[in-house]
Amino acid sequence: MQQIKNIRWSFLLLMLTLNFGCDQISKKIVRTEISDYEHISIIKDRFTLLKVENTGAFLSLGDQMPYIFRLIILTGLPLLFLCYGLYYLFAKKNLPVMMQVALCFLIGGGIGNLYDRIIYGSVTDFMHMDFYIFQTGVFNFADISIMIGIGILLFQSIRSSTTKQQEEQEQLERNTN
């Protein structure tokens, strides 16, 4: 039983480290190799690199708030949520594997952006996509991790809801026969 716990913890730590590590390595490269607001076309202006230091939240929301409010809302609250997320991830022994993976993506990405905010005072964003009808803001690998985590949780929620409805329908059919 202890060996299973050790394997689980190792898996979770590896997933968290990979999410955080990929984000931080990419940001370190961008900080040293790309100038602020430098525009580098990767795929015909559809996918570009554009280094931006974001002092706000998602899409720079809140970057005009007074410093103390930004500190509380953009650093303090995420720190509390991430600490609780780590506790929940490691304390709950019977979480479905996909939920554990989703939480690792969410927490790893969250730690990546929070680390930037604490160490550098802003979050380094550098990727941008423009597909005519769909255009993103400037984002980073931590944002991708967070979106993947949310996507997995949504998929799990829809799948479990569908499964539950099917089970209820089958139970109803058995009861009426």
Side-chain angles (χ1 to χ4, degrees):
M1 194 60 145
Q2 182 64 31
Q3 187 175 7
I4 291 172
K5 182 179 177 183
N6 289 342
I7 291 171
R8 177 179 176 268
W9 277 56
S10 296
F11 170 76
L12 295 176
L13 288 172
L14 176 65
M15 290 289 296
L16 288 166
T17 303
L18 285 173
N19 275 278
F20 176 76
C22 288
D23 175 62
Q24 289 302 306
I25 289 169
S26 66
K27 288 174 181 174
K28 181 173 177 62
I29 292 169
V30 166
R31 282 187 206 105
T32 58
E33 300 297 325
I34 300 177
S35 302
D36 288 346
Y37 302 104
E38 181 179 353
H39 190 269
I40 301 171
S41 179
I42 303 296
I43 303 174
K44 297 184 181 182
D45 288 335
R46 301 296 132 230
F47 180 70
T48 58
L49 301 181
L50 171 68
K51 180 184 165 196
V52 176
E53 293 298 329
N54 182 357
T55 58
F58 179 70
L59 298 175
S60 297
L61 294 174
D63 65 341
Q64 299 299 317
M65 285 191 300
Y67 175 75
I68 189 68
F69 291 121
R70 274 189 292 144
L71 183 66
I72 293 167
I73 294 170
L74 302 179
T75 305
L77 289 177
L79 182 61
L80 289 174
F81 284 118
L82 289 170
C83 287
Y84 177 74
L86 284 168
Y87 164 77
Y88 186 81
L89 179 63
F90 285 99
K92 296 287 186 181
K93 295 173 178 49
N94 296 326
L95 287 176
V97 173
M98 288 307 290
M99 183 173 218
Q100 293 178 46
V101 170
L103 289 173
C104 285
F105 275 95
L106 282 165
I107 295 167
I111 291 172
N113 280 342
L114 184 62
Y115 178 85
D116 277 11
R117 194 168 305 286
I118 292 169
I119 300 299
Y120 301 105
S122 63
V123 175
T124 302
D125 292 328
F126 57 92
M127 291 182 274
H128 179 261
M129 293 189 299
D130 182 358
F131 297 107
Y132 299 112
I133 59 172
F134 170 74
Q135 186 176 158
T136 67
V138 183
F139 60 96
N140 58 44
F141 279 108
D143 299 331
I144 293 171
S145 289
I146 291 167
M147 295 306 292
I148 289 171
I150 290 170
I152 293 170
L153 288 177
L154 285 172
F155 175 77
Q156 281 293 106
S157 176
I158 292 168
R159 192 174 85 174
S160 68
S161 175
T162 304
T163 303
K164 186 176 179 180
Q165 287 175 350
Q166 288 173 344
E167 289 172 356
E168 289 172 354
Q169 183 66 31
E170 290 170 5
Q171 183 66 33
L172 183 64
E173 290 172 2
R174 280 192 293 258
N175 290 342
T176 57
N177 290 335

